[in-house]
Amino acid sequence: MLSRMLTNRSYVFNEGAWLGFGQVDDHWTIGPWEANDKDSALDLLKGAIVDGNDQRILVDVPAQNTRAWDILTIMGFEVVGKTVLMCRGLLPDIAFDNIFGLASMGSKG
């Protein structure tokens, strides 16, 4: 399911984190983005983003990862929408604290 989208992604990484990114039409998307800790995630994002007010960057962040929200707020991101993670049956054992950005943009995925 993800192979088509991930083929068109570039990736950066450091010792504790990695993220994929790509340009879609007139904006950039970040994801998937995974990190072992907040510092690794922040260092990686700072190194990956080139400052410029004319660039729109979207990240689909799990609401359960408040560390991601903290980092993105520090970097000047703002909430522009809400989606709900839905599951039928038992929720899989997902470590949301390590997921800073999902692979797809919610309904855009």
Side-chain angles (χ1 to χ4, degrees):
M1 178 173 79
L2 296 176
S3 64
R4 185 175 194 197
M5 185 199 72
L6 296 178
T7 300
N8 298 322
R9 294 274 161 172
S10 297
Y11 294 89
V12 293
F13 58 92
N14 62 21
E15 283 189 35
W18 66 277
L19 68 80
F21 63 94
Q23 189 165 11
V24 179
D25 298 325
D26 63 346
H27 62 277
W28 291 87
T29 61
I30 293 177
W33 178 22
E34 185 176 8
N36 294 331
D37 56 67
K38 186 175 177 177
D39 291 335
S40 295
L42 179 58
D43 288 345
L44 186 60
L45 186 63
K46 282 182 176 179
I49 292 181
V50 176
D51 287 332
N53 292 331
D54 59 339
Q55 296 293 317
R56 294 189 299 165
I57 304 170
L58 302 176
V59 185
D60 193 357
V61 180
Q64 296 89 337
N65 189 340
T66 57
R67 298 181 302 170
W69 286 66
D70 293 344
I71 287 171
L72 293 167
T73 301
I74 289 168
M75 296 290 294
F77 285 77
E78 61 186 57
V79 176
V80 295
K82 287 186 175 180
T83 59
V84 177
L85 174 64
M86 299 179 75
C87 177
R88 183 173 178 191
L90 296 176
L91 182 66
D93 187 19
I94 300 171
F96 285 106
D97 289 346
N98 293 343
I99 301 170
F100 286 72
L102 299 170
S104 68
M105 296 290 113
S107 62
K108 288 184 70 168

